[in-house]
């Protein structure tokens, strides 16, 4: 007999799988992409590349459930059946979602409360992204790169199997990029999966595959 | 889910308190509207007492709209709304939580300030009591209806004018029954309870409609 939490972990470790099935996206009159299918399994990262305007961000927003696909669908298997996809996904967009009027720690505590309090403590998450000791600073005092690190810390305070990352390393220096890649490798090693759009090379380890979107039609 | 709801309310209250404006701005606007009326209509105490409830309610209603245009716009612009949609809360409850925080920050101070401003307009104690009761029931309704305008302003990046145009027509029934309830308490002939119960019904309707419609507007604009 196995108890429910162990069964969950097993299903997440073995069968977690994100499928895009014949996705198409039309913005206005332009068809950005059509008949796009992909599969990402637990422990794998899929890096989406392509020129500006090729539909990378649109694809990521469709997967995160922020926008409907023109046709096709996104399926996540290996998670509890009743869960909505958006509750399994961390979406890190272009914007940092940081409120300057709040302290650094308060920003993160808010995300921890809203996203479900299943991950690291606020202090530990700040330490992990290299903002340790800055928790009491107003977030408006952070530099662009530090705000980005704070946004990345959001991924750590709630434990979610799927990370959808849109240009995650913008404004990060080389050391912070390496640190972020290490966080990503830890996430993959823990049975998660990553879908990222990027121009900069990301070292997420051996299980990285590429998906190239063509020039807009 | 409750924790997420309360976390969002607490964050919005902290933002309202730190960003300045918020509560103070609404109350100062309310005060200025009420304070200039006696100068405009003259020092006729009987007249002031008769039109007082209407003046106070117009002031409170317009003051409730202050700050609504940034309510969702700020979260749309800095990506918070996208990140929040991954939370356990559906968009309807996100809108409700933001509305609740907005009412506590701007509506509740109006209710508290109203009895003092009512003295300036020569309202008698019965009318002041009725005024506070109608504001307690009516300003949440105005804020809830205001969520619809706030969502449009945030979703379609249009400014504050849209909010007044969208929200004031929806809020007119609230105004009518709130003022007639206050007048009924002051001078009759209808008992206070009759229009007040209609006001409470309207408020309950608005509290459901506001968050649902706001969420629908935000969803429609997202793609």
């Amino acid at each position: 007999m196995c108890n429910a939490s162990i069964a969950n972990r097993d299903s997440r470790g073995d069968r977690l799988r994100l499928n895009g099935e014949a996705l198409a996206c039309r913005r206005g009159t332009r068809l950005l992409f059509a008949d796009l299918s992909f599969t990402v399994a637990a422990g794998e990262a899929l890096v989406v590349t392509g020129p500006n305007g090729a539909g990378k961000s649109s694809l990521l927003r469709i997967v995160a459930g922020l926008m409907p696909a023109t046709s096709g669908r996104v399926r996540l298997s290996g998670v509890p059946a009743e869960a909505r996809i958006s509750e399994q996904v961390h979406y890190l967009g272009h914007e940092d979602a940081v409120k300057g009027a709040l302290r650094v720690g308060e920003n993160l505590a808010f995300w921890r409360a809203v996203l479900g309090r299943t991950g690291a403590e606020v202090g530990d998450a700040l330490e992990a992204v290299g903002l340790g000791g800055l928790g009491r600073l107003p977030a408006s005092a952070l530099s662009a790169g530090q705000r980005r690190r704070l946004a990345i810390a959001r991924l750590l305070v709630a434990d979610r199997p799927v990370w959808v990352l849109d240009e995650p390393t913008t404004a990060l220096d080389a050391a912070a990029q390496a640190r972020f890649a290490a966080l990503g490798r830890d996430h993959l090693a823990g049975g998660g999966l990553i879908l990222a759009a990027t121009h900069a090379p990301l070292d997420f380890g051996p299980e990285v595959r590429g998906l190239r979107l063509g020039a807009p039609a | 889910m409750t924790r997420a709801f309360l976390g969002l309310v607490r964050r919005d209250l902290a933002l309202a308190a730190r960003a300045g404006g918020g509560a103070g701005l609404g109350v100062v606007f309310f005060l200025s509207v009420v304070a200039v009326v006696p100068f405009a209509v003259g020092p006729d105490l009987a007249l002031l007492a008769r039109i007082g409830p209407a003046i106070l309610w117009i002031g409170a209603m317009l003051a409730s709209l202050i700050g609504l245009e940034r309510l969702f716009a700020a979260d749309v612009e800095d990506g918070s709304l996208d990140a929040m949609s991954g939370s356990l809360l559906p968009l309807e409850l996100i809108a409700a939580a933001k509305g609740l925080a907005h009412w506590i920050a701007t509506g509740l101070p109006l209710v508290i300030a109203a009895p003092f401003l009512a003295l300036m307009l020569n309202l008698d104690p019965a009318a002041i009591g009725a005024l506070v009761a109608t504001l307690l029931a009516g300003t949440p309704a105005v804020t809830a209806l205001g969520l619809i305008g706030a969502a449009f302003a945030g979703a379609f990046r249009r400014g504050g004018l849209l909010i007044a145009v969208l929200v004031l027509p929806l809020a007119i029934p609230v105004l009518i029954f709130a003022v007639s309830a206050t007048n009924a308490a002051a001078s009759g002939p209808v008992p206070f309870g009759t229009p007040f119960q209609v006001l409470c019904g309207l408020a309950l309707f608005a509290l459901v409609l506001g968050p649902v419609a706001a969420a629908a507007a935000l969803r429609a604009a997202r793609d």
Side-chain angles (χ1 to χ4, degrees), chain A residues 133-211:
Chain A
L134 298 183
R136 298 190 54 76
L137 202 68
S140 55
L142 296 182
S143 74
Q146 286 174 318
R147 288 168 74 94
R148 197 65 187 161
R149 292 188 202 189
L150 180 52
I152 288 168
R154 194 174 81 217
L155 303 174
L156 306 176
V157 293
D159 187 22
R160 301 198 164 187
V162 180
W163 287 7
V164 175
L165 314 170
D166 199 351
E167 301 285 352
T169 53
T170 315
L172 292 184
D173 59 32
Q177 290 194 17
R179 197 195 292 259
F180 173 67
L183 290 173
R185 286 195 298 272
D186 287 349
H187 176 65
L188 295 178
L193 64 84
I194 294 178
L195 181 66
T198 181
H199 294 293
L202 284 171
D203 181 17
F204 284 142
E207 299 296 331
V208 177
R209 291 182 298 122
L211 174 69

Side-chain angles (χ1 to χ4, degrees), chain B residues 17 23 29 42 46 58 63 73 77 82 92 129 135 146 149 171 174 178 180 199 203 217 223:
Chain B
F29 179 81
I58 291 172
E77 282 163 19
D82 285 346
E92 284 78 7
L135 283 173
V174 173
S180 56
L199 174 67
D223 47 78

Side-chain angles (χ1 to χ4, degrees), chain A residues 61 66 97 99 101 106 114 160, chain B residues 18 75 78 82 85-87:
Chain A
R61 290 180 69 82
L66 292 171
K99 294 286 183 196
E106 287 173 329
V114 166
R160 301 198 164 187
Chain B
R18 300 218 193 130
D75 280 344
D78 72 7
D82 285 346
S85 60
S87 81

Side-chain angles (χ1 to χ4, degrees), chain B residues 22-50:
Chain B
L25 195 60
V27 171
V28 168
F29 179 81
F30 190 28
L31 172 70
S32 4
V33 170
V34 174
V36 297
V37 168
F39 295 104
V41 301
D44 179 346
L45 288 180
L47 177 65
L48 282 179
R50 203 168 75 242

Side-chain angles (χ1 to χ4, degrees), chain B residues 106-195:
Chain B
T106 65
L108 196 56
L110 298 178
V111 179
I112 294 166
F116 303 101
L117 300 182
L119 290 175
M120 293 170 59
L121 297 178
N122 191 32
L123 262 62
D124 60 40
I128 293 180
L131 176 77
V132 172
T134 56
L135 283 173
L136 261 183
T139 49
V142 175
T143 302
L145 294 170
L147 285 177
I148 303 172
F152 272 102
F156 299 111
R157 323 247 161 138
R158 294 291 184 274
L161 187 63
L162 187 66
I163 293 190
V165 171
L166 273 175
V167 174
L168 287 180
L170 295 175
I172 279 175
V174 173
L175 182 70
I176 291 173
F177 285 99
V179 173
S180 56
T182 314
N183 283 335
S187 52
V190 201
F192 168 72
T194 313

